[in-house]
Amino acid sequence: MSDPTAPGSPAARHGIGRRPFVVAALGAGLTAAAAHVTASAGPAGRRVSSAARHQVGGLEVIALLDASGPFPAAWTEMFPDATDTDWAAARAIDPAAFGDDGRWHLDFHCYAVRRPSGRVMLVDSGVGPAGSPASGWAPVPGRLPRALTEAGIAAGDVDLVVMTHLHEDHVGWAVGPDGTPMFPDARYLVQRDEVDHLAGDPGSVVWGYVVEPLLRTGQLHQVRGAARLPAGRRGERVLAVPTPGHTVGHQSVVVGGPRDEVIITGDVLVHAVQLADPGVAYALENDQATARATRRALLRRAERADAVLATAHLHTPFVRSRQGR
Ligand SMILES: [Zn+2]
């Protein structure tokens, strides 16, 4: 499958038109409840569209919802050092994360950054289709192909796919089940450390499903450290920056304009409880001390710049850091 959004494809056949995305500014009550987040934009009630957008100069950052569902464990198991105060703050930020079934519920967001030319950078590719590496635990099939169509993005528009890291729920649509890269004209950017680490794991499903096919086609572009990525006009910048801890070679993407900044975080934080208290560790982080330091540094930076955070797993894709902290 080379073009998931081509006319006649399943995505196109089932495509639904663009519908207005209802945003609601959350009230001042959130300010008191949440230590680090004062306001966010999100759907009123249930989502009416998978797309939410944030404009940074001439660059359009588009949230694409691939999937939504429960994690196979309780939130208390995954964040054992969070306090009652942390949980209360987290509930105020992201109430949908707390399922009636006792399990942590989460969204799986990807982000597109569209330049004025119409070319697109995709950051992460979700849980993927049925049978993808994430299908053992994540809610598959994802709906990224349809979300791209809704946003007016064809697979051929994508010239860069940034992989924040090589976990199963972030690379699901990178390569199709037949081993063909889903974005035929794209380079796939990943930190070299992430690839080296995965190469040492003989049981990795992601290696065979994603890394090997991209190595075969020559589309895997490995970098070490920060990398400047295609931006739009003068005064705009897009950077991949290493944010290790969740995984060895984790990276985030900073989209900056003359007045605004969006940080596409990847899994630097995976739950609102880590916004409420960045010191709260996630049980599955590769290196919790490094992850904690990375999270603190990134949130400090966001607060200084009054940047918007674009997260993978919160139910509101864009959250703004508190001004003046
Ligand atoms: Zn994740």
Side-chain angles (χ1 to χ4, degrees):
M1 190 190 299
S2 61
D3 185 353
T5 61
S9 70
R13 284 199 302 278
H14 296 110
I16 54 176
R18 285 189 214 182
R19 288 177 288 180
F21 184 74
V22 179
V23 293
L26 299 183
L30 192 58
T31 309
H36 282 261
V37 177
T38 56
S40 60
R46 199 58 204 148
R47 271 178 292 277
V48 294
S49 166
S50 65
R53 293 150 198 264
H54 198 92
Q55 197 72 30
V56 180
L59 301 169
E60 190 184 8
V61 184
I62 305 165
L64 303 161
L65 182 67
D66 186 43
S68 187
F71 196 76
W75 59 84
T76 44
E77 281 177 64
M78 292 296 105
F79 308 92
D81 52 346
T83 65
D84 288 349
T85 308
D86 295 333
W87 288 124
R91 275 184 191 273
I93 298 166
D94 191 11
F98 299 84
D100 293 338
D101 55 3
R103 291 194 288 173
W104 167 25
H105 283 236
L106 66 169
D107 273 0
F108 298 84
H109 282 110
C110 314
Y111 291 88
V113 180
R114 181 155 48 198
R115 309 194 289 278
S117 64
R119 302 295 272 169
V120 170
M121 171 181 75
L122 182 66
V123 181
D124 284 341
S125 57
V127 299
S132 73
S135 57
W137 61 273
V140 297
R143 60 184 302 288
L144 181 63
R146 188 195 290 186
L148 287 166
T149 301
E150 288 170 13
I153 297 168
D157 297 335
V158 177
D159 61 1
L160 182 65
V161 178
V162 174
M163 299 189 282
T164 61
H165 61 300
L166 294 174
H167 276 173
E168 297 165 343
D169 57 320
H170 292 256
V171 296
W173 293 101
V175 174
D178 64 354
T180 306
M182 297 287 268
F183 304 97
D185 300 331
R187 286 188 305 161
Y188 288 68
L189 187 106
V190 65
Q191 289 288 324
R192 183 175 294 276
D193 286 352
E194 187 76 356
V195 176
D196 290 349
H197 184 75
L198 202 66
D201 178 1
S204 168
V205 181
V206 169
W207 183 269
Y209 194 92
V210 176
V211 178
E212 275 182 352
L214 293 175
L215 284 170
R216 236 183 348 257
T217 60
Q219 285 171 264
L220 193 69
H221 185 64
Q222 301 180 55
V223 294
R224 185 160 271 159
R228 188 175 286 275
L229 307 178
R233 304 183 292 230
R234 220 175 344 165
E236 291 160 0
R237 64 199 180 284
V238 182
L239 294 173
V241 293
T243 45
H246 181 77
T247 61
V248 171
H250 191 281
Q251 61 184 345
S252 303
V253 175
V254 178
V255 181
R259 281 183 298 279
D260 306 287
E261 185 171 290
V262 172
I263 304 175
I264 304 170
T265 61
D267 278 359
V268 170
L269 55 108
V270 298
H271 192 291
V273 77
Q274 295 181 304
L275 262 184
D277 180 354
V280 171
Y282 171 43
L284 302 182
E285 283 161 348
N286 176 265
D287 177 341
Q288 293 186 344
T290 302
R292 189 180 287 121
T294 289
R295 190 160 46 249
R296 285 189 168 129
L298 184 130
L299 291 176
R300 263 199 305 274
R301 177 201 170 116
E303 286 159 11
R304 267 201 311 273
D306 192 25
V308 169
L309 304 173
T311 71
H313 297 306
L314 272 60
H315 292 85
T316 302
F318 295 111
V319 293
R320 188 178 286 280
S321 294
R322 183 165 166 178
Q323 270 176 309
R325 278 185 66 94

